[in-house]
Amino acid sequence: MYLKMVGCLGIVAATSGYGYSRGMEYQRQITDTGELQRVIRQLAGEMEYTYAPLAQVCASVSRRCSQNYRIWLEHLAKELEMPSRSLAIIWERCCESDLKCLLLGREERVRLHELGMQLGSLDKKQETQIFLQYAEFLEEKRGGLLKEIQEKRRLCNLLGVTAGLFLTILIL
């Protein structure tokens, strides 16, 4: 009987922990989106004020970023130094390989890839505007996520506990 009770408590704890971790993923998505927005704004600002090539801008901004974005920007800068490939291909490859660990939504990833397709054939002012437009898009997405996060986290926690209690009732 005691073993059954300990098992039931373990089930409730496990499902509650799972619900909590799912809720924390929403928080991490907001953090990752906000950090990407900050990096994009830094790229735009650096391009606007220095008129440096994108490879130098990426290398400069990478020194002020968190680890995930630093790796991405350093890889991007290194690849852009080799003129044998087009910017769009380099951008897409670097985004896919270096930013896959981030919790970004599908739409954010698609727009980030599209951003790379638009770069390279425009002047610096237009490229800066493209970066700023993407940063505004990320700000809107982040605002929408902030509105939803409390409800989603509460729902995940509630569903975790409820699932644990339901399984406990089935076992008993």
Side-chain angles (χ1 to χ4, degrees), residues 28-135:
R28 186 166 162 234
Q29 184 178 5
I30 288 173
T31 304
D32 288 348
T33 303
E35 181 72 16
L36 179 59
Q37 176 192 2
R38 191 176 69 76
V39 168
I40 295 294
R41 285 195 187 277
Q42 286 180 354
L43 287 170
E46 190 86 15
M47 285 180 71
E48 185 176 5
Y49 293 114
T50 64
Y51 285 95
L54 188 58
Q56 289 178 357
V57 169
C58 289
S60 174
V61 171
S62 71
R63 293 185 212 99
R64 300 185 302 258
C65 296
S66 66
Q67 183 66 24
N68 293 325
Y69 295 101
R70 181 178 303 124
I71 291 169
W72 172 56
L73 290 173
E74 287 173 352
H75 186 208
L76 193 58
K78 189 186 321 176
E79 290 288 322
L80 288 172
E81 293 293 324
M82 294 180 247
S84 62
R85 296 183 189 118
S86 74
L87 174 62
I89 293 170
I90 292 171
W91 182 274
E92 186 171 349
R93 186 176 301 139
C94 289
C95 286
E96 286 177 5
S97 66
D98 300 330
L99 297 180
K100 62 184 172 190
C101 63
L102 300 177
L103 288 178
L104 298 174
R106 178 165 163 43
E107 189 176 1
E108 289 92 332
R109 288 188 187 276
V110 168
R111 295 277 300 262
L112 184 62
H113 288 292
E114 289 173 359
L115 174 71
M117 299 296 235
Q118 296 173 354
L119 296 174
S121 61
L122 306 170
D123 66 350
K124 294 294 180 190
K125 189 167 183 80
Q126 290 174 326
E127 286 181 348
T128 302
Q129 287 300 320
I130 290 170
F131 276 118
L132 290 175
Q133 287 173 354
Y134 183 67

